[in-house]
Amino acid sequence: MSVSNPSARDGVTSQQRFAPVAQLGAAALVLVVIGGIYMASYAPRRPPLTVPILLAAASGALLAVNLVMLVRTRGLAWDKFFLVGRWALLSYVIAAGLIEFAFVRDHTRGGPLVVLTAMLVLFAVDVPLIISFTVARYQSLRSDAA
Amino acid sequence: MTDTKVDSLSTGGERGAGGEGGAGVEGGAGVGAGAGVGAGAGVGDSAGVGDVPPRPVIQIVPLKGLPIVAVILGFLVASIGFNWQWGLDFNHVAGGGLWTGIDLFVGLVVGPILGRLSIPARAEFSARFMPKMVLVMPTLVAMTLASGFQLALDLGNLKASNPNHAWLMASFVVVGIMAVIALGILEPANIAVLFEMRKPRPNGEVIARLMKRFIYTAGITGLMQVATLVIMTRVASQ
């Protein structure tokens, strides 16, 4: 396979700086996963909700900051971002729906179901965001033009 | 939907023209939650247009595989919905066995072999192998985890008084670590590499940078998979 010579064109590519959207997204994902494990560890009992709510809130805050940073990003390949993002979103909405179905099927109700649903929403938005941003940042106009 | 063919993730990539001088790139494009394989990207020292074999068309998501995935997920949902013991066992054992087996086999056997192949051979293998893993690994992970949780509930293994409770908590942690690595690090890199490889002139530096993720995480995921084998065999034998 032919690959362009990095040394001839990395003057721009290697110096590109984007906001740490993927890193923050991964941090938000870690919080959601910890919250999910915490809640699952109590099954089939009703879990205490303070810790999961705090984790979900922190994850949501990170995601909000991430979205703000993303909107202010310049030079991103937005066409690729939305192309990958919509398919990834569809995929992870299905995955989150499957998890939700399993918990509803197991009689999770009330507060725990609300917190769990919030975590799944964060999960279903966060992962596609990480994937689509990672693709788009390397497909950016600046790296192509180099 | 008129723009689907143009815009779809499954659109075939362009065929590259010729090679040009430059640095080769070594590395691995990972699969699912696990170890990577050698990715194909690199150039010879003096490769001209006539020296470089045509690049395979890269289909990022193989559409032909989607119906199979839908059938498997339908079977999984039915197994959970009807609490079908055999279906749950099948999904968990088959999915988990394949997930762990593929992860370790690719990381320990296929990856090192690929690393010793010629760059065109590595590129051709990766271009055909990686898209399939985009469908295979998430499906196996969904089969394993969803049915596993349901089985644990049904069998009472999640109750605090159950001797398997601690092992299952350890399993949750292991799966959580693998999920973060797979979803937050490896899958984005895998898709990004496929997009880069579809370009007429893939950027070796970009691919190399993305490939480093697989090298950094291969040890962790391998360890986690071995831990999974230990935990699950302990659970099954108590």
Side-chain angles (χ1 to χ4, degrees):
Chain A
M1 175 173 290
S2 155
V3 176
S4 60
N5 183 352
S7 61
R9 50 183 279 179
D10 66 356
V12 175
T13 305
S14 62
Q15 291 173 22
Q16 282 185 91
R17 289 289 180 268
F18 287 100
V21 173
Q23 291 87 333
L24 272 186
L29 180 63
V30 168
L31 294 177
V32 165
V33 167
I34 292 173
I37 291 173
Y38 183 88
M39 290 184 74
S41 70
Y42 278 88
R45 294 170 293 152
R46 182 189 171 92
L49 294 179
T50 307
V51 172
I53 288 173
L54 289 175
L55 289 167
S59 177
L62 282 179
L63 185 60
V65 170
N66 230 357
L67 290 173
V68 170
M69 288 197 307
L70 184 67
V71 169
R72 300 171 69 174
T73 300
R74 298 281 176 267
L76 197 67
W78 289 104
D79 57 334
K80 291 290 189 296
F81 177 85
F82 288 115
L83 169 64
V84 175
R86 67 178 183 242
W87 289 107
L89 186 64
L90 174 65
S91 165
Y92 281 91
V93 164
I94 292 172
L98 188 62
I99 298 171
E100 177 93 358
F101 163 74
F103 277 90
V104 170
R105 168 70 184 71
D106 292 326
H107 312 293
T108 304
R109 299 285 185 273
L113 185 61
V114 171
V115 176
L116 181 78
T117 304
M119 286 182 167
L120 288 174
V121 169
L122 290 167
F123 165 79
V125 173
D126 191 43
V127 176
L129 178 68
I130 299 171
I131 294 173
S132 51
F133 177 81
T134 303
V135 171
R137 65 167 293 179
Y138 290 111
Q139 300 284 320
S140 67
L141 294 175
R142 277 182 284 173
S143 72
D144 278 348
Chain B
M1 293 296 287
T2 52
D3 64 336
T4 305
K5 284 188 177 177
V6 176
D7 217 16
S8 164
L9 284 176
S10 68
T11 306
E14 308 98 310
R15 289 183 182 277
E20 63 184 51
V25 178
E26 291 190 3
V31 293
V37 299
V43 292
D45 290 331
S46 59
V49 172
D51 299 325
V52 179
R55 289 165 51 200
V57 175
I58 295 176
Q59 197 177 37
I60 292 174
V61 179
L63 292 185
K64 286 179 183 172
L66 287 178
I68 300 171
V69 171
V71 168
I72 292 171
L73 291 184
F75 176 58
L76 175 64
V77 169
S79 300
I80 294 172
F82 296 112
N83 232 357
W84 188 18
Q85 181 73 33
W86 177 81
L88 292 172
D89 278 341
F90 180 85
N91 275 299
H92 192 62
V93 173
L98 287 169
W99 175 15
T100 303
I102 290 174
D103 235 7
L104 290 175
F105 184 76
V106 170
L108 299 178
V109 179
V110 177
I113 291 172
L114 275 176
R116 290 173 177 82
L117 291 180
S118 69
I119 287 169
R122 208 185 310 169
E124 192 164 354
F125 178 88
S126 299
R128 286 173 167 78
F129 179 77
M130 288 165 58
K132 290 179 175 59
M133 292 299 103
V134 171
L135 287 185
V136 169
M137 295 311 286
T139 306
L140 292 178
V141 171
M143 284 173 68
T144 309
L145 299 187
S147 59
F149 189 77
Q150 193 69 21
L151 276 174
L153 273 177
D154 290 350
L155 299 175
N157 285 333
L158 284 174
K159 290 177 181 169
S161 57
N162 192 291
N164 281 328
H165 179 80
W167 286 108
L168 288 184
M169 295 308 105
S171 166
F172 286 173
V173 173
V174 166
V175 165
I177 293 170
M178 285 200 291
V180 169
I181 291 174
L183 300 176
I185 300 173
L186 295 184
E187 191 177 12
N190 199 357
I191 306 278
V193 166
L194 285 170
F195 266 88
E196 190 62 32
M197 288 171 71
R198 280 170 36 145
K199 285 182 176 176
R201 290 183 180 182
N203 186 328
E205 189 206 14
V206 166
I207 294 174
R209 192 184 299 176
L210 288 164
M211 290 302 98
K212 283 180 185 170
R213 298 183 184 197
F214 297 102
I215 296 164
Y216 293 152
T217 55
I220 301 172
T221 50
L223 197 63
M224 295 295 110
Q225 288 292 9
V226 173
T228 299
L229 289 174
V230 172
I231 290 169
M232 288 302 138
T233 48
R234 290 290 308 205
V235 168
S237 56
Q238 295 213 67

